[in-house]
Structure formats: structure tokens, C-alpha cells
């Protein structure tokens, strides 16, 4: 090739690059990723009006409670991480539901299996019961976060949700699915009137749902603040509903009046060039995510492709170890001394890492010994125009919570996140029921910072105990494999909760099942329903995505 031709080719390549860069729109400067398009629009509207990420989170939560009622709402709780762009500080808000003063360690046991001794009651019966209803925390959490980091008036943040509840919204594919799956939800008279047709059939995709009672409830909340929920007639109705159930609970007016959201220190740890910050106990999420990342770091996963046998095996093995510790040690820190620092110490994890063999599964992992004596969810990620960010996982636990409605909202069943058995093999379980205690969670709202504490990403998921693996893989995909959120969230999943290795049923992974079995894994190939939402820095703006397995979207401007 002559010098002239090389020169001309060089110019052509540069021109093509410039044209394609010019064709790329500048990345949005503010963004909302959540599990329902109407909620994302409500959040963006608040950001447009000059609201902060926390203001937007209030609006997004209120619309999710209307249009994604199976997953979260004002009858539930959650964990929110807030990143302040000016100070680079992270504040953690714990709005986890709390066991009533009348809760007892054996309340989920039943002796009706005569001759077999006391057994946990069948799980569906525990879920759909007054026993499972914890004191809701989402509203107290949002109120506290708004007081500290909101700009717009509280009452202005409810407008979209009130309008949508009053005018109605079309049933989404996921809501339609859950109305058919949770058949007992129609036993609640309020639910029957709102989500079912006169012939008792569940509303179908695209049919309209109007929830006037919830619109009225949110007018009260907008005008009076949290006391509209925690005191007075609404509190009385919640208590009456819980006591009227055939399996009644003990929720009282005092439990509601005494509830407080708690501010906690973020649980942060290093991963390569980043700092990963997550939720401390009572969630097990932040601890497990950090343990797995630290266990995996020397294996340099960035050398593999996401569906390589080596990365699937290593992620599954490290997850087993983290779940063994989670199940043994994690509970509400007000009741259980969780040895967080020891469980994250490099020396402890180096010992645990020795249990990982590159060519054989360890099978069920034992919990480690850090010298310790006792031993229906939705995620949103929001970045505002100033670069402040929210990573908020919000829940009513199962789809439609305890399947009881009051004033158009659904009461959570978060207390089934406690261990039904207070004692196993003569050892008190860290996560046993105790009055005033918060049940252990797996929710893992996460923020990633760079070495200058600039925000790199916000991510989290729904999906019960699978949240930990979902969040972890999204992090590995965005950080090690440098995938944009859209691809990172769509990646087929490998999970291990210290049992079988679970592979998402897509050909790329299912094809690895036999190879994993040859390494000694018990393998299950199944459909998975994570609920991730993520935002990542790109250039001087943001790119985001919501889990393609659900109804959500990410939008920015
Ligand atoms: O706190 C927890 O870990 C559970 N209550 C979360 C439940 C959940 O993610 C259900 N969702 N899809």
C-alpha cells in the first residue's frame, strides 16, 4: 500500500469514527430505571421539575404501588442507598418491616401433624395470614430520606400516582400472570373488586384497573405525611384486618406508632479498582455480594466469557460459601451480633477460598468459623441532574404480599422471611422470630464508586434469595466484562444458594449443564424471573436498563 493510500484510508477511518460519534446522541444526564414504564415516567417528570433522585424515588414508589401492586407498595418495606454527588457520601435508609411486639419464635410452627411434633406450617398458609404481616416501613423510609435529601414538597410527589390510581391503567403482562398464579388473592374482598371481573376471572393484559381507595389513601399521605398510615383510622383498619384473618396476627396500634426507619452505615469493600457499597444487616445482600466478589477476585473473571464453564463454576462455588455464612450468621443486628468485619476479612476469605477447586464442586458448603459463639419486590435506580443517585429495593415479599388489602393497598408478608424454626440441631437460629425484630433480607441495593468516590453504577434486583446472585452477576458483567446495562441484565444467569447450581433455561447455559455435572454440581435448568434495574456512567452521562424478564424500562434525558 502506498503512503498516499494509507494516508487516505486513515482519513476515511477517522471521518467514519467522527460521523458515527456525531450520530450517537449524547448520553442522558439524568435517568430512571424501574419495573413499570408509568413509574419511570413519573420519576422523570419529578426530575424535570427540579426534583432530586430521592424526590423521584417517592414518585416512582407511589406509582409502582398502583401499577405493579404485586411487588411493592406503601404496605411494604425496603432498603435505599443514597449517593450525594457533592460530598460523595452514601447514606443508607433501612425501612425493613418489623415484627410486632406480640410475635413469638414459634408462631409459624404448627402441631397439627399429630405425632410428628411441631413443624413449620405449610409456607403458602404462613404467607396468606395475619401472622406474616410486619409493620410497614417504606413510607417511613421515604419520609426520612425526603426530609434529608428532597427538594420538592412531599405532597407534589404523589400527583402521578393519584391520577393513575383514579383514572386507571392497563394490566401489564406480569400483573396478569401473577393474578392467575396467586389464586387465593381473590379471597380478599377489596382485591376481588379491583383486580377481578364480575365472573371472578382475573383481569387480562390491557384491561383497566382503577383503584379509587388507593387514590384517596395517597391524597391523605400527600397531605398528612406518614401519620396518615401509622396512626388514626388507617392504622386501625390495618390492625382490624390482620386480626380478622383465619390465621390472625398480633399487629397493634402501638407497633405502628412506634415504627422508625433507621439510618445505617453502608457496607463497602474493594473489588479491583472499584469500591462496592451495599446494604448491611438485616439484609444479607451486601455482605454476600462483597464476600463473593472478594472470593472471586484472584480468579480474574475478566479473562472468561460470561457463559464459559470456568466462570459458571466459580460463581456458583463462591456463592455456596457466602450462602452458608448468610444462613448461619445473619439476622437483625439489634438482636444478633453479626460478625460482619470478620466475615469480610481477607484472611478469613482466603481460608474460605481454599475450598474452591477449579475442577470439582465442593457440594454443600459448610459455614465458616469466624470465631463466633452464637451464632413481590421491585428495584429502582435513579440519577438526577446533579449526579445524586438512589438505589432502592422495595418489597411486599411474596406476589401480592399477605393477600390482604386495606384502603386499596396490600399488606406485606415480610415476616415469612424469618426462619419458621427457632432452633435447628440444638442451635438457636440467628434469624428466628423475636418481637420488634426485622427479618433477614437478601435485598442488595448497590452503588459502585471509583477511586475518587465518583459514582460508577447503581444496581439491584428483586427475586428473593436469588437477588444476591442476580446483583452479583450484573456487577461482574458491567465491571469485569464491561457490558452496558442492557446486555449485563439480559445475560443468562447462574445461581447457587448452597444447593443445586441453577442455570437459566437458555441454550447458551443449558449446554453447559453436563460439563458442570462432570465437575460434581447438581444442576437445575429453569426459567428465572429476576427484577434487575441498573444505571452506569457512560462518558459524561448515563446508560441504564431494566430487567428484560419484567415490564420495566430505563429512560433518561
Ligand atoms: O427481603 C427479601 O429478601 C425478600 N423479602 C425479597 C422478596 C422478593 O424479592 C420477591 N420478589 N420478587
Amino acid at each position: 500500500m502506498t503512503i498516499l493510500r494509507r494516508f487516505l484510508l486513515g482519513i476515511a477511518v477517522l471521518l467514519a469514527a467522527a460521523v458515527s460519534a456525531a450520530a450517537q446522541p449524547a448520553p442522558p444526564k439524568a435517568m430512571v430505571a424501574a419495573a413499570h414504564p408509568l413509574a419511570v415516567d413519573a420519576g422523570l417528570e419529578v426530575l424535570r421539575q427540579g426534583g432530586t433522585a430521592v424526590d423521584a424515588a417517592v414518585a416512582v414508589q407511589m406509582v409502582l404501588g398502583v401499577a405493579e401492586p404485586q411487588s411493592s407498595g406503601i404496605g411494604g418495606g425496603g432498603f435505599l442507598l443514597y449517593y450525594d454527588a457533592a460530598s460523595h457520601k452514601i447514606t443508607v435508609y433501612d425501612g425493613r418491616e418489623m415484627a410486632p411486639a406480640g410475635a413469638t419464635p414459634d408462631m409459624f410452627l404448627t402441631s397439627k401433624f399429630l405425632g410428628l411434633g411441631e413443624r413449620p406450617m405449610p409456607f403458602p398458609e404462613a404467607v396468606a395470614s395475619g401472622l406474616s404481616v410486619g409493620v410497614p416501613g417504606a413510607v417511613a423510609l421515604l419520609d426520612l430520606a425526603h426530609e434529608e435529601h428532597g427538594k420538592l414538597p412531599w405532597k407534589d410527589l404523589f400527583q402521578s400516582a393519584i391520577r393513575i390510581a383514579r383514572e386507571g391503567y392497563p394490566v401489564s403482562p406480569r400483573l396478569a400472570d401473577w393474578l392467575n398464579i396467586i389464586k387465593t388473592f381473590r379471597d380478599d374482598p377489596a382485591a376481588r373488586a379491583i383486580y377481578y371481573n364480575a365472573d371472578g376471572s382475573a383481569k387480562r393484559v390491557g384491561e383497566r384497573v382503577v383503584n379509587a381507595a388507593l387514590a384517596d389513601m395517597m391524597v391523605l399521605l400527600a397531605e398528612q405525611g406518614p401519620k396518615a398510615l401509622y396512626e388514626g383510622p388507617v392504622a386501625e383498619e390495618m390492625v382490624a384486618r390482620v386480626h380478622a384473618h383465619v390465621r390472625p396476627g398480633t399487629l397493634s396500634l402501638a407497633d405502628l406508632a412506634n415504627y422508625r426507619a433507621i439510618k445505617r452505615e453502608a457496607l463497602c469493600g474493594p473489588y479491583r479498582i472499584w469500591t462496592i457499597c451495599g446494604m448491611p444487616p438485616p439484609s444479607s445482600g451486601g455482605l454476600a455480594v462483597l464476600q463473593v466478589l472478594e472470593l472471586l477476585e484472584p480468579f480474574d473473571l475478566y479473562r472468561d466469557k460470561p457463559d464459559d464453564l470456568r466462570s459458571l463454576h466459580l460463581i456458583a462455588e463462591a456463592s455456596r460459601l457466602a450462602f452458608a455464612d448468610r444462613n448461619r450468621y445473619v439476622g437483625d443486628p439489634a438482636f444478633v451480633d453479626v460478625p460482619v468485619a470478620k466475615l469480610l476479612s481477607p484472611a478469613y476469605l482466603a481460608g474460605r477460598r481454599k475450598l474452591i477447586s477449579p475442577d470439582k464442586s465442593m457440594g454443600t458448603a459448610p459455614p465458616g468459623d469466624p470465631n463466633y459463639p452464637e451464632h413481590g419486590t421491585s428495584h429502582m435506580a435513579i440519577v438526577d441532574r446533579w449526579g445524586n443517585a438512589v438505589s432502592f429495593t422495595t418489597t411486599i415479599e411474596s406476589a401480592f404480599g399477605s393477600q390482604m388489602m386495606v384502603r386499596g393497598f396490600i399488606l406485606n408478608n415480610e415476616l415469612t422471611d424469618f426462619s419458621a424454626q427457632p432452633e435447628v440441631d440444638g442451635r438457636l437460629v440467628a434469624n428466628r422470630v423475636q418481637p420488634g425484630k426485622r427479618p433477614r433480607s437478601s435485598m442488595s441495593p448497590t452503588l459502585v464508586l471509583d477511586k475518587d468516590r465518583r459514582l460508577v453504577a447503581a444496581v439491584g434486583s428483586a427475586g428473593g434469595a436469588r437477588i444476591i446472585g442476580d446483583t452479583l452477576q450484573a456487577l461482574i458483567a458491567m465491571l469485569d466484562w464491561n457490558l452496558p446495562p442492557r446486555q449485563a441484565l439480559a445475560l443468562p444467569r447462574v445461581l447457587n444458594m448452597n444447593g443445586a447450581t441453577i442455570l437459566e433455561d437458555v441454550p447458551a447455559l443449558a449446554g453447559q449443564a453436563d460439563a458442570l455435572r462432570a465437575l460434581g454440581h447438581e444442576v437445575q435448568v429453569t426459567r428465572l424471573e429476576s427484577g434487575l434495574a441498573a444505571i452506569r456512567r457512560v462518558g459524561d452521562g448515563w446508560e441504564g436498563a431494566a430487567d428484560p424478564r419484567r415490564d420495566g424500562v430505563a429512560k433518561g434525558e
Side-chain angles (χ1 to χ4, degrees):
M1 201 189 284
T2 65
I3 291 182
L4 179 65
R5 280 181 65 184
R6 256 191 227 173
F7 176 73
L8 288 175
L9 189 63
I11 299 266
V13 168
L14 280 177
L15 270 176
V19 167
S20 92
Q24 296 280 328
K29 297 286 192 290
M31 182 162 263
V32 180
H36 197 287
L38 291 173
V40 171
D41 289 343
L44 276 181
E45 180 56 32
V46 164
L47 294 182
R48 225 172 271 140
Q49 290 164 9
T52 65
V54 163
D55 291 322
V58 178
V60 171
Q61 172 67 88
M62 293 307 143
V63 175
L64 287 177
V66 177
E68 202 207 19
Q70 71 275 19
S71 298
S72 75
I74 60 177
F79 300 127
L80 185 149
L81 266 58
Y82 178 74
Y83 172 78
D84 183 76
S87 64
H88 297 184
K89 253 193 72 185
I90 291 175
T91 317
V92 174
Y93 297 95
D94 171 349
R96 184 67 166 165
E97 297 88 335
M98 191 181 78
T104 57
D106 59 357
M107 72 182 191
F108 290 120
L109 295 180
T110 168
S111 49
K112 75 178 172 200
F113 301 100
L114 288 178
L116 291 175
E118 285 195 318
R119 293 283 167 108
M121 65 175 66
F123 193 67
E125 285 181 24
V127 168
S129 79
L131 293 165
S132 68
V133 181
V135 185
V139 169
L141 174 159
L142 288 170
D143 176 57
L144 183 57
H146 176 260
E147 205 177 288
E148 298 187 339
H149 298 289
K151 262 195 175 48
L152 299 184
W154 169 261
K155 68 171 176 27
D156 292 2
L157 306 173
F158 290 74
Q159 300 316 315
S160 298
I162 293 169
R163 178 179 44 77
I164 295 164
R166 204 159 320 273
E167 292 173 3
Y169 63 92
V171 170
S172 72
R174 206 175 152 76
L175 173 54
D177 279 353
W178 280 110
L179 286 170
N180 283 309
I181 295 167
I182 309 290
K183 301 229 177 310
T184 43
F185 188 38
R186 84 189 74 204
D187 296 343
D188 181 88
R192 198 160 54 241
I194 295 170
Y195 303 109
Y196 297 84
N197 298 310
D199 65 359
S201 63
K203 292 207 168 163
R204 284 184 290 269
V205 177
E207 289 187 330
R208 280 191 104 61
V209 169
V210 171
N211 189 342
L214 184 53
D216 293 343
M217 176 65 210
M218 284 190 298
V219 169
L220 291 180
L221 261 187
E223 285 169 358
Q224 300 173 10
K227 70 175 175 21
L229 181 77
Y230 291 101
E231 296 169 24
V234 178
E236 282 164 22
E237 279 177 44
M238 277 195 273
V239 168
R241 184 72 187 91
V242 164
H243 285 254
H245 200 280
V246 282
R247 290 176 290 281
T250 60
L251 184 72
S252 72
L253 288 176
D255 293 323
L256 287 160
N258 291 337
Y259 185 85
R260 297 288 176 272
I262 297 176
K263 284 212 295 185
R264 300 189 185 277
E265 284 296 310
L267 192 56
C268 296
Y271 182 59
R272 305 194 195 290
I273 56 172
W274 300 284
T275 299
I276 313 288
C277 293
M279 189 65 214
S283 186
S284 57
L287 177 62
V289 166
L290 286 174
Q291 276 195 323
V292 177
L293 289 176
E294 171 91 20
L295 287 167
L296 290 175
E297 189 170 303
F299 293 102
D300 293 346
L301 285 188
Y302 55 81
R303 292 198 275 123
D304 300 350
K305 290 198 298 304
D307 51 8
D308 278 353
L309 179 63
R310 195 183 87 111
S311 60
L312 299 178
H313 170 67
L314 291 174
I315 291 171
E317 295 296 283
S319 301
R320 286 178 197 282
L321 292 168
F323 266 86
D325 282 351
R326 163 194 186 269
N327 294 345
R328 171 64 59 89
Y329 299 114
V330 183
D332 183 344
F335 289 76
V336 193
D337 190 7
V338 188
V340 174
K342 285 181 182 167
L343 290 169
L344 284 176
S345 76
Y348 171 74
L349 289 170
R352 297 288 279 163
R353 195 182 292 115
K354 291 201 183 108
L355 297 176
I356 301 178
S357 143
D359 49 19
K360 189 165 177 15
S361 172
M362 71 184 81
T364 306
D369 180 9
N371 308 318
Y372 180 62
E374 199 204 338
H375 87 90
T377 305
S378 207
H379 184 79
M380 67 182 81
I382 303 175
V383 179
D384 64 25
R385 63 174 84 174
W386 300 280
N388 306 308
V390 154
S391 188
F392 178 27
T393 314
T394 173
T395 182
I396 48 175
E397 196 347 68
S398 298
F400 307 113
S402 63
Q403 302 165 31
M404 285 185 275
M405 294 189 79
V406 171
R407 301 263 183 146
F409 67 88
I410 297 171
L411 300 179
N412 70 82
N413 69 299
E414 218 68 46
L415 302 193
T416 54
D417 273 358
F418 280 120
S419 165
Q421 307 254 35
E423 210 180 296
V424 172
D425 299 334
R427 179 195 292 275
L428 282 174
V429 175
N431 186 36
R432 64 189 179 277
V433 186
Q434 289 174 276
K437 188 174 179 183
R438 298 175 186 220
R440 181 190 64 209
S441 173
S442 303
M443 295 190 290
S444 313
T446 305
L447 295 170
V448 181
L449 309 180
D450 68 12
K451 64 175 179 13
D452 302 319
R453 289 190 68 80
R454 280 196 337 153
L455 184 71
V456 174
V459 61
S461 185
R466 292 188 304 271
I467 288 173
I468 292 169
D470 297 335
T471 305
L472 187 68
Q473 260 185 293
L475 285 166
I476 292 171
M478 289 193 292
L479 302 179
D480 279 322
W481 298 323
N482 197 23
L483 294 175
R486 187 175 300 280
Q487 281 166 269
L489 272 46
L491 270 191
R493 264 332 113 57
V494 55
L495 303 169
N496 194 299
M497 294 172 284
N498 203 14
T501 294
I502 301 169
L503 298 181
E504 187 163 9
D505 192 4
V506 293
L509 279 204
Q512 295 281 28
D514 284 341
L516 281 164
R517 285 191 185 104
L519 293 177
H521 292 251
E522 181 198 336
V523 178
Q524 279 171 15
V525 179
T526 181
R527 206 178 134 222
L528 290 174
E529 296 210 346
S530 48
L532 285 153
I535 294 178
R536 185 176 81 152
R537 182 184 291 280
V538 54
D540 59 355
W542 304 96
E543 56 183 356
D547 202 310
R549 299 160 189 81
R550 294 202 180 194
D551 300 324
V553 291
K555 283 195 209 168
E557 50 187 43

